[in-house]
Amino acid sequence: MRSSPKSKLSHDAIKAWRVSLSIFILFLVLGLFFLWGYKLLSPEAGFFSMWTLIAITVILIVITGLGIFFIPEIRWRRWSYEVDEHEVDLQSGIFIITRTLVPIKRVQHVDTRQGPILRSYSLADVTISTAATTHRIPALNEEVADQVRDRISKFARLAEEDV
Amino acid sequence: MFELQRQHPAAALANAFDIIRANFITILILIFVGSGGREANFTLYWIIGTFLFLLIWGVISWYRFEFSVEEGELRIEQGVLVRKKLYLTSDRIQVIDISAGVVQRLFGLVAVEVKTAGSSSKEAKISAITREKAERLKKILRKNSEKSDDSQEAEPVSQHKIYVLDTKDLLIAASTSGRFGVALSVVGVAFSQVEQLISEEQMIRFVETIIPRSTNASMIAMSIFAVIAIAWLFSFASTIIKYYDFVVEVRENELLISRGLFERTQLTIPFNRIQAVQIKEELLRQPLGYASLVIESAGYGESEGNSTTLFPLLAKPQIYNFINEVIPDYQTEISENSTVPSVGLRRYLFRMLWISLPVILIVWGSIPYGVYSWFLLIPALLLGYQQYSDAEIARGKDTLILTFRLLSKTTAMVKKYRMQSCQVQQNPFQKRLDLSNLTVHVASGNQGRAFTVRDIGITKAMDYRTWLSNGKENNNISDDESHEPLNENFDDPDATR
């Protein structure tokens, strides 16, 4: 593709993504433990055969490995964004690369969001809404996120709105 | 001014029917579940009881519903248990719809629905008043909305251009309707449920008495034929009901569409609310050289995307005339276009292959004579080829024209300054071939609508993307704003949220 947008996400994004994915996977693992326990205690009952369970476990391990060690890194490398007075330009995607362009004029509102995990790394998401779509720049440094938000909203105010 | 008053008493009935219609499926389920195993009488009591309850509810809500117009505001007080007051300032009102359902027509009345941007419109509906009152109400509310009134008053009615769908076209539209597909799946599912209602023996006995000595194959063919015929009848009837007496009136700054057999619906769409125009050439209509026009509009305050049929059936050569006369903004000279490069063909063919293979395999494995399902591949691949040759992006002065096909060919025309965002996507397979998908989002209702053209050259796609973003001011925007005083409120995000 043509030259990527210039700004990158915060490097801490990788850690934050790893943590949030780990938490999610923890729930799945708990569920899996429950199934295993059920299977081992009463081998005859259960809706799953042993092989299904083993397959599920293997798949979960593979997903965990990929999701924690590789995906966040690649995702971070692919993510970039750029904001100027005419447009917001985003690039993202692990397999499918998406280049999104939002004319500043169309922006209806911008906000920053922060969940507990992001907060512990002092990161924040910036969400950009138009009349039709919502776009997210994930995991920026808090200060950067505030700057980006203020910039977009300033440019949006300057641009003549018409829809 | 309108003094405080109630609606016509028929509103009670209309309300009851509205509730029934809104919860039709729930009611059906309740009746089925409620009657499970018990005698038929019980079901009857159940239905009568529900209806009585709804009627009483309707009467109370009629009694509790009062409206008036004071100081340029439409004031509605309503609510059976919780009293709600709704004040709508006339310059916030975007659309006033006058419609007449079955109940209203019985009493010679109309319903008035007032829509503002953003808010949900359900509450601002006066479900039964006389037509004169409705017209007067509309006039008063319009009058207060500033200058737009003067031009409307001054303009003689005869100047409006009017387009009517004649009977022949209505019949063609109905017999080639795209709802056919939807109806087909519904009837198909219903048909597969028949088994559960009637026992197999009964079924076989029935079939044997009607068609003696039928073979398996002819029975399958017969049932497929029956499903198709029933589905076609459904779609035929529903299209006629929907588009009966379809009239488009072109006013100075709005379009007035009225249609419907049992329920007359009147839609007012201001030109500056139009976000995109689509020409749809449905599978059955294309060979006959017909297409329909659909417009996307914003600011209705509805949760789903808002597509409105602008005209249900037009012969291909007439389309551009029609656009020129009704929505001249969308008349464009194409200055540049690009199609899918020939390496993209295989992606279109493979996609259809992947989609049709599972179906074929399932059918092959599950029903007798399923081997013949392999013949599905032929139309599937033809469709893929057709999709490939139809896909195209073109641009005029400030209009982007995207042509693509799923089943029916769609030509979407989007003004540069109406585009909300634009995406170029590329997956690893496309990367090898330097292809990409281009998606353009426009506002439509509260959410947006996306138009995607697949597998066009990446350089071209990025080119269009850059072109779209360079939304330098052009005449159309300022032009647009000069005659849309209502729009200002909608612009301001704080005002609508």
Side-chain angles (χ1 to χ4, degrees):
Chain A
M1 289 219 186
R2 158 177 326 202
S3 64
S4 305
K6 288 192 201 81
S7 319
K8 302 293 290 177
L9 306 182
S10 160
H11 208 275
D12 287 338
I14 300 176
K15 290 182 220 158
W17 287 334
R18 275 181 188 152
V19 171
S20 58
L21 189 74
S22 308
I23 291 174
F24 176 67
I25 282 177
L26 207 66
F27 280 105
L28 291 187
V29 169
L30 279 179
L32 197 66
F33 267 136
F34 182 74
L35 286 182
W36 269 112
Y38 193 68
K39 187 79 205 168
L40 294 178
L41 290 179
S42 54
E44 300 308 312
F47 337 93
F48 295 105
S49 72
M50 201 62 150
W51 290 111
T52 329
L53 264 185
I54 290 173
I56 292 177
T57 314
V58 170
I59 289 171
L60 193 66
I61 289 170
V62 170
I63 288 177
T64 312
L66 281 179
I68 290 184
F69 296 106
F70 293 102
I71 306 271
E73 184 80 35
I74 301 172
R75 192 173 166 207
W76 181 82
R77 217 178 301 145
R78 284 283 159 72
W79 243 109
S80 59
Y81 69 95
E82 198 172 329
V83 178
D84 67 19
E85 66 259 63
H86 295 304
E87 66 205 30
V88 180
D89 191 354
L90 310 172
Q91 174 175 316
S92 66
I94 293 156
F95 298 109
I96 299 167
I97 300 165
T98 308
R99 284 289 295 266
T100 307
L101 186 133
V102 185
I104 282 281
K105 270 192 274 184
R106 295 282 94 81
V107 175
Q108 295 224 321
H109 60 99
V110 226
D111 36 35
T112 47
R113 282 172 204 197
Q114 200 177 33
I117 298 167
L118 287 183
R119 194 177 311 140
S120 64
Y121 287 95
S122 48
L123 299 173
D125 292 348
V126 177
T127 313
I128 305 159
S129 306
T130 69
T133 50
T134 305
H135 308 274
R136 205 162 61 107
I137 310 177
L140 297 177
N141 269 330
E142 267 169 3
E143 306 88 67
V144 181
D146 287 345
Q147 273 170 28
V148 168
R149 183 195 60 206
D150 294 345
R151 257 180 73 153
I152 294 175
S153 100
K154 196 185 84 194
F155 288 147
R157 247 178 290 130
L158 290 178
E160 291 274 305
E161 278 193 67
D162 64 291
V163 170
Chain B
M1 290 284 118
F2 263 73
E3 61 285 359
L4 195 65
Q5 57 183 277
R6 293 207 172 83
Q7 310 168 85
H8 190 280
L13 211 55
N15 285 344
F17 273 109
D18 271 353
I19 297 174
I20 292 178
R21 205 168 49 169
N23 302 302
F24 193 66
I25 292 167
T26 325
I27 292 173
L28 269 190
I29 291 170
L30 272 182
I31 288 174
F32 271 111
V33 173
S35 66
R38 270 161 282 197
E39 61 263 56
N41 264 349
F42 189 80
T43 318
L44 198 64
Y45 291 144
W46 189 255
I47 294 172
I48 292 173
T50 316
F51 191 73
L52 271 181
F53 174 75
L54 286 177
L55 206 60
I56 293 167
W57 183 271
V59 171
I60 299 173
S61 64
W62 163 76
Y63 183 78
R64 299 276 283 176
F65 188 108
E66 288 175 310
F67 67 96
S68 63
V69 181
E70 275 165 54
E71 296 160 25
E73 275 182 335
L74 172 64
R75 299 181 178 177
I76 295 176
E77 288 187 33
Q78 63 178 339
V80 175
L81 298 173
V82 183
R83 196 98 172 123
K84 263 185 272 183
K85 292 185 184 184
L86 187 70
Y87 288 21
L88 293 170
T89 338
S90 57
D91 45 295
R92 278 294 183 77
I93 293 170
Q94 300 278 350
V95 175
I96 300 174
D97 276 353
I98 298 180
S99 62
V102 181
V103 178
Q104 282 89 346
R105 286 169 129 201
L106 268 179
F107 293 90
L109 303 167
V110 292
V112 178
E113 207 168 333
V114 176
K115 293 174 176 178
T116 58
S119 80
S120 90
S121 55
K122 225 189 214 161
E123 282 143 23
K125 185 178 179 185
I126 299 168
S127 32
I129 58 173
T130 56
R131 183 165 280 279
E132 302 90 73
K133 275 189 188 173
E135 292 295 342
R136 206 152 63 86
L137 187 71
K138 190 172 174 180
K139 219 178 216 171
I140 290 172
L141 291 175
R142 280 270 176 247
K143 187 176 291 169
N144 285 306
S145 64
E146 303 168 60
K147 59 195 172 189
S148 63
D149 175 53
D150 304 336
S151 48
Q152 260 180 9
E153 288 290 291
E155 194 182 19
V157 186
S158 57
Q159 265 190 6
H160 297 157
K161 278 179 276 181
I162 290 178
Y163 298 86
V164 182
L165 184 71
D166 57 35
T167 319
K168 182 185 135 234
D169 283 353
L170 176 65
L171 290 177
I172 295 174
S175 43
T176 58
S177 164
R179 295 151 179 245
F180 177 61
V182 182
L184 195 64
S185 53
V186 171
V187 174
V189 169
F191 223 71
S192 68
Q193 295 302 308
V194 165
E195 251 184 303
Q196 293 176 9
L197 293 180
I198 309 165
S199 77
E200 206 162 330
E201 289 151 50
Q202 273 177 321
M203 189 80 171
I204 289 169
R205 214 175 305 138
F206 173 76
V207 170
E208 275 174 351
T209 47
I210 288 191
I211 5 170
R213 265 190 286 161
S214 66
T215 60
N216 239 348
S218 71
M219 223 191 90
I220 289 173
M222 284 281 293
S223 51
I224 289 175
F225 180 76
V227 167
I228 289 176
I230 294 170
W232 183 82
L233 277 179
F234 264 124
S235 75
F236 185 83
S238 71
T239 313
I240 294 229
I241 290 168
K242 190 172 174 199
Y243 292 138
Y244 183 80
D245 195 13
F246 193 102
V247 181
V248 180
E249 196 180 321
V250 187
R251 298 205 172 157
E252 198 198 6
N253 41 28
E254 60 191 18
L255 289 169
L256 193 75
I257 299 171
S258 36
R259 57 168 171 76
L261 180 57
F262 297 120
E263 184 171 349
R264 288 297 287 171
T265 315
Q266 239 179 50
L267 294 165
T268 321
I269 299 163
F271 284 118
N272 54 42
R273 291 259 148 266
I274 298 177
Q275 303 289 318
V277 177
Q278 294 177 67
I279 303 171
K280 287 198 169 168
E281 295 166 53
E282 274 156 357
L283 215 52
L284 292 172
R285 286 184 190 160
Q286 202 185 8
L288 301 172
Y290 288 107
S292 60
L293 270 179
V294 174
I295 50 184
E296 302 293 328
S297 54
Y300 262 70
E302 279 163 22
S303 54
E304 282 164 44
N306 204 320
S307 311
T308 314
T309 305
L310 175 58
F311 212 75
L313 193 82
L314 281 167
K316 209 64 199 297
Q318 286 173 27
I319 288 179
Y320 291 95
N321 264 338
F322 187 86
I323 290 178
N324 199 11
E325 283 168 31
V326 178
I327 32 174
D329 278 356
Y330 285 85
Q331 179 79 7
T332 24
E333 304 263 313
I334 292 171
S335 57
E336 196 212 332
N337 70 332
S338 57
T339 49
V340 179
S342 47
V343 285
L345 174 58
R346 61 176 121 146
R347 283 192 48 77
Y348 276 90
L349 294 181
F350 271 123
R351 193 175 302 128
M352 287 316 292
L353 189 64
W354 299 141
I355 293 172
S356 51
L357 261 187
V359 178
I360 290 172
L361 289 178
I362 289 170
V363 174
W364 190 20
S366 61
I367 67 166
Y369 299 98
V371 191
Y372 293 114
S373 65
W374 282 101
F375 284 114
L376 270 179
L377 266 188
I378 298 169
L381 291 180
L382 280 177
L383 180 64
Y385 182 77
Q386 199 57 43
Q387 288 175 338
Y388 157 78
S389 55
D390 282 334
E392 185 189 339
I393 300 187
R395 66 181 173 210
K397 194 168 111 273
D398 55 0
T399 313
L400 187 72
I401 302 170
L402 302 109
T403 312
F404 52 92
R405 173 194 287 276
L406 284 173
L407 271 175
S408 42
K409 180 178 170 186
T410 308
T411 307
M413 295 179 274
V414 181
K415 287 282 164 194
K416 205 170 163 181
Y417 53 88
R418 290 294 189 208
M419 184 213 41
Q420 300 288 339
S421 75
C422 168
Q423 273 183 348
V424 175
Q425 282 195 326
Q426 192 179 46
N427 66 30
F429 303 105
Q430 288 174 315
K431 194 167 187 174
R432 272 194 332 184
L433 304 171
D434 278 335
L435 299 175
S436 63
N437 299 347
L438 182 84
T439 306
V440 171
H441 295 270
V442 295
S444 171
N446 275 359
Q447 289 167 356
R449 186 168 298 277
F451 302 116
T452 304
V453 180
R454 291 173 188 276
D455 298 315
I456 56 162
I458 178 75
T459 21
K460 277 284 175 201
M462 292 306 279
D463 217 35
Y464 277 105
R465 183 173 170 276
T466 325
W467 176 74
L468 279 168
S469 80
N470 293 335
K472 304 282 181 283
E473 297 305 312
N474 53 37
N475 306 336
N476 294 47
I477 290 179
S478 48
D479 219 340
D480 215 28
E481 272 171 349
S482 64
H483 59 68
E484 49 178 314
L486 303 182
N487 214 9
E488 276 159 26
N489 297 307
F490 189 61
D491 281 344
D492 184 3
D494 300 325
T496 56
R497 259 151 244 272

